[in-house]
Amino acid sequence: MPQRTIRHATEDDITVMQQVLAVGRERMRQAGNLHQWTGGYPSDDILKEDIRQGFSYVVEEDNRMIAVFVLAECEEPTYRRIFQGQWLDDTRPYATIHRIAALPEVHGIFQMVVQFALSRMDSLRIDTHQDNHPMRHVVTSNGFSYCGIILLADGSERMAYQLVNAS
């Protein structure tokens, strides 16, 4: 199996990152998710800010970018309030996985990202649109539990999940 590596993204990666994100956006549309990642989201400015904060990563295989993701090791403001449920653990620090996308022929990226994230933080959170059925499936099949609904800054609802490493 080819060797996969995770590294911090740089601004030089943005063009290829946007190509991978465009593939992810198209895969969402094909799966019936018409409401997530619209209006040019995520913009180059968002990617640059993720890079500046040290939260943006790329996955490479044979020196080719095959996936992108954000691992924000800080509090997510939209997670302060959760509706119709509660977090599994609301006391310990957590990292949040955002903006993950991979090329369509690539498999196992989410599991790789979760293992990478758990090596850094023992509590992980993620959210997704209710119409993103493939992501909801991969999230729960990788050990995350559905916790409730969070609201984004614009008021949009997202389904929220958490994984707490018991070690």
Side-chain angles (χ1 to χ4, degrees), residues 1-5 60-63 66 112:
M1 174 175 258
Q3 181 69 27
R4 291 181 176 170
T5 58
E60 292 181 322
E61 182 177 277
D62 299 328
N63 295 317
I66 60 169
M112 180 183 188

Side-chain angles (χ1 to χ4, degrees), residues 15-78:
T15 299
V16 180
M17 290 171 71
Q18 285 289 18
Q19 292 168 359
V20 174
L21 290 162
V23 169
R25 189 178 302 107
E26 180 56 29
R27 291 172 77 183
M28 280 192 247
R29 301 302 175 264
Q30 291 172 357
N33 181 2
L34 308 178
H35 307 288
Q36 193 173 2
W37 291 11
T38 59
Y41 180 89
S43 67
D44 286 357
D45 288 341
I46 289 172
L47 299 183
K48 286 177 185 175
E49 182 60 17
D50 290 340
I51 290 166
R52 186 193 68 73
Q53 292 184 26
F55 296 157
S56 185
Y57 294 88
V58 299
V59 181
E60 292 181 322
E61 182 177 277
D62 299 328
N63 295 317
R64 182 184 105 167
M65 189 183 306
I66 60 169
V68 300
F69 68 97
V70 166
L71 182 64
E73 297 182 43
C74 63
E75 181 185 7
E76 169 61 54
T78 62

Side-chain angles (χ1 to χ4, degrees), residues 65-120:
M65 189 183 306
I66 60 169
V68 300
F69 68 97
V70 166
L71 182 64
E73 297 182 43
C74 63
E75 181 185 7
E76 169 61 54
T78 62
Y79 289 178
R80 289 182 187 140
R81 294 184 63 201
I82 188 165
F83 303 92
Q84 300 173 21
Q86 64 185 24
W87 296 111
L88 298 177
D89 183 324
D90 204 19
T91 61
R92 69 175 88 184
Y94 60 88
T96 305
I97 299 170
H98 285 300
R99 294 184 277 288
I100 184 168
L103 297 179
E105 68 273 14
V106 175
H107 302 286
I109 291 297
F110 191 80
Q111 183 177 25
M112 180 183 188
V113 168
V114 169
Q115 292 307 310
F116 174 79
L118 286 173
S119 75
R120 304 168 71 87

